[in-house]
Coordinates of all heavy atoms in Angstrom, one line a residue:
V969 N 4.0 6.3 -1.0 CA 3.0 6.9 -2.0 C 3.7 7.0 -3.4 O 3.0 6.7 -4.4 CB 2.6 8.3 -1.5 CG1 1.9 9.1 -2.5 CG2 1.8 8.2 -0.2
I970 N 4.9 7.4 -3.4 CA 5.6 7.5 -4.7 C 5.7 6.1 -5.4 O 5.5 6.0 -6.6 CB 7.0 8.1 -4.5 CG1 6.9 9.6 -4.0 CG2 7.8 8.1 -5.8 CD1 8.2 10.2 -3.6
G971 N 6.1 5.1 -4.5 CA 6.2 3.7 -5.1 C 4.9 3.2 -5.6 O 4.9 2.6 -6.7
A972 N 3.8 3.5 -4.9 CA 2.5 3.0 -5.4 C 2.1 3.8 -6.6 O 1.5 3.2 -7.6 CB 1.5 3.2 -4.3
S973 N 2.5 5.0 -6.7 CA 2.1 5.9 -7.9 C 2.9 5.4 -9.1 O 2.3 5.5 -10.2 CB 2.4 7.3 -7.6 OG 1.7 7.8 -6.5
L974 N 4.1 4.9 -8.9 CA 4.9 4.5 -10.1 C 4.7 3.0 -10.5 O 5.2 2.6 -11.5 CB 6.4 4.7 -9.8 CG 6.8 6.1 -9.5 CD1 8.3 6.1 -9.1 CD2 6.6 7.0 -10.8
A975 N 3.9 2.3 -9.6 CA 3.7 0.9 -9.8 C 3.1 0.5 -11.2 O 3.5 -0.4 -11.8 CB 2.9 0.3 -8.7
G976 N 2.1 1.4 -11.6 CA 1.5 1.1 -12.8 C 2.4 1.1 -14.0 O 2.3 0.3 -14.9
N977 N 3.4 2.0 -14.0 CA 4.4 2.1 -15.0 C 5.4 0.9 -15.0 O 5.9 0.5 -16.0 CB 5.2 3.4 -14.9 CG 4.3 4.6 -15.1 OD1 3.4 4.6 -16.0 ND2 4.6 5.6 -14.4
V978 N 5.6 0.3 -13.8 CA 6.5 -0.8 -13.7 C 5.9 -2.1 -14.0 O 6.5 -3.0 -14.7 CB 7.1 -0.9 -12.2 CG1 7.9 -2.1 -12.0 CG2 7.8 0.4 -11.8
L979 N 4.6 -2.2 -13.7 CA 3.9 -3.5 -13.9 C 3.7 -3.9 -15.4 O 3.5 -5.0 -15.7 CB 2.5 -3.4 -13.2 CG 2.5 -3.5 -11.7 CD1 1.1 -3.3 -11.1 CD2 3.1 -4.8 -11.2
V980 N 3.8 -2.9 -16.2 CA 3.6 -3.2 -17.7 C 4.8 -4.0 -18.2 O 4.6 -4.7 -19.2 CB 3.5 -1.9 -18.5 CG1 2.2 -1.1 -18.1 CG2 4.7 -1.0 -18.3
Y981 N 5.9 -4.0 -17.5 CA 7.0 -4.8 -17.9 C 7.0 -6.2 -17.3 O 7.9 -7.0 -17.6 CB 8.3 -4.1 -17.5 CG 8.5 -2.8 -18.1 CD1 8.3 -1.6 -17.5 CD2 9.0 -2.7 -19.5 CE1 8.4 -0.4 -18.1 CE2 9.2 -1.5 -20.1 CZ 8.9 -0.3 -19.4 OH 9.1 0.9 -20.0
G982 N 6.0 -6.5 -16.4 CA 5.9 -7.8 -15.9 C 5.8 -7.8 -14.4 O 6.4 -7.0 -13.7
R983 N 4.9 -8.6 -13.8 CA 4.6 -8.7 -12.4 C 5.9 -9.2 -11.7 O 6.2 -8.8 -10.6 CB 3.4 -9.5 -12.1 CG 2.0 -8.9 -12.3 CD 1.9 -8.2 -13.6 NE 0.5 -7.9 -13.9 CZ 0.1 -7.0 -14.8 NH1 1.0 -6.2 -15.4 NH2 -1.2 -6.8 -15.0
K985 N 9.0 -9.1 -12.6 CA 10.1 -8.1 -12.6 C 9.8 -7.0 -11.6 O 10.8 -6.6 -10.9 CB 10.2 -7.5 -14.0 CG 10.7 -8.4 -15.1 CD 10.8 -7.7 -16.4 CE 11.3 -8.7 -17.5 NZ 11.3 -8.0 -18.8
A986 N 8.6 -6.7 -11.4 CA 8.2 -5.7 -10.3 C 8.6 -6.3 -8.9 O 9.1 -5.6 -8.1 CB 6.7 -5.4 -10.4
L987 N 8.3 -7.6 -8.7 CA 8.7 -8.2 -7.4 C 10.2 -8.3 -7.2 O 10.7 -8.1 -6.1 CB 8.0 -9.6 -7.3 CG 6.5 -9.6 -7.1 CD1 6.0 -11.0 -7.1 CD2 6.1 -8.9 -5.9
L989 N 12.2 -6.1 -8.4 CA 12.6 -4.7 -8.0 C 12.3 -4.4 -6.6 O 13.0 -3.7 -5.9 CB 11.8 -3.8 -9.0 CG 12.1 -2.3 -8.8 CD1 13.6 -2.0 -9.0 CD2 11.3 -1.4 -9.7
G1021 N 5.5 0.6 -1.3 CA 4.4 1.1 -2.2 C 4.3 0.2 -3.4 O 3.2 -0.2 -3.8
L1022 N 5.4 -0.1 -4.0 CA 5.4 -1.0 -5.2 C 4.9 -2.4 -4.9 O 4.1 -3.0 -5.6 CB 6.8 -1.0 -5.8 CG 7.0 -2.0 -7.0 CD1 6.1 -1.5 -8.2 CD2 8.5 -1.9 -7.5
V1025 N 0.9 -2.7 -4.5 CA 0.2 -2.8 -5.7 C 0.5 -4.1 -6.4 O -0.5 -4.8 -6.9 CB 0.6 -1.6 -6.6 CG1 -0.2 -1.7 -8.0 CG2 0.2 -0.3 -5.9
T1026 N 1.7 -4.5 -6.5 CA 2.1 -5.7 -7.3 C 1.5 -7.0 -6.7 O 1.0 -7.8 -7.4 CB 3.6 -5.8 -7.3 OG1 4.2 -4.6 -7.8 CG2 4.1 -7.0 -8.2
R1029 N -2.2 -7.2 -7.3 CA -2.5 -7.5 -8.7 C -2.1 -8.9 -9.1 O -2.8 -9.6 -9.8 CB -1.6 -6.5 -9.6 CG -1.8 -6.8 -11.1 CD -3.2 -6.6 -11.6 NE -3.7 -5.2 -11.4 CZ -3.5 -4.2 -12.2 NH1 -2.8 -4.5 -13.3 NH2 -4.0 -3.1 -11.9
F1110 N -1.8 -11.4 -17.7 CA -0.8 -10.5 -18.2 C -0.4 -10.8 -19.6 O -0.3 -9.9 -20.4 CB 0.4 -10.6 -17.3 CG 1.6 -9.8 -17.8 CD1 1.7 -8.4 -17.6 CD2 2.7 -10.4 -18.4 CE1 2.7 -7.7 -18.0 CE2 3.7 -9.7 -18.9 CZ 3.8 -8.3 -18.7
H1113 N -3.2 -9.8 -21.9 CA -3.2 -8.3 -22.1 C -2.1 -7.9 -23.1 O -2.3 -6.9 -23.8 CB -2.9 -7.7 -20.7 CG -2.8 -6.2 -20.8 ND1 -3.9 -5.3 -21.0 CD2 -1.8 -5.3 -20.6 CE1 -3.5 -4.1 -21.0 NE2 -2.3 -4.0 -20.8
K1114 N -1.0 -8.6 -23.1 CA 0.1 -8.3 -24.0 C -0.1 -8.9 -25.4 O 0.6 -8.6 -26.3 CB 1.4 -8.8 -23.5 CG 2.0 -8.1 -22.3 CD 2.4 -6.7 -22.7 CE 3.0 -5.9 -21.5 NZ 3.5 -4.6 -21.9

Side-chain angles (χ1 to χ4, degrees):
V969 171
I970 296 173
S973 300
L974 297 176
N977 296 323
V978 176
L979 287 175
V980 297
Y981 296 101
R983 284 48 166 155
K985 291 180 180 178
L987 289 176
L989 183 57
L1022 177 59
V1025 177
T1026 304
R1029 177 61 62 86
F1110 173 78
H1113 177 71
K1114 289 292 186 178

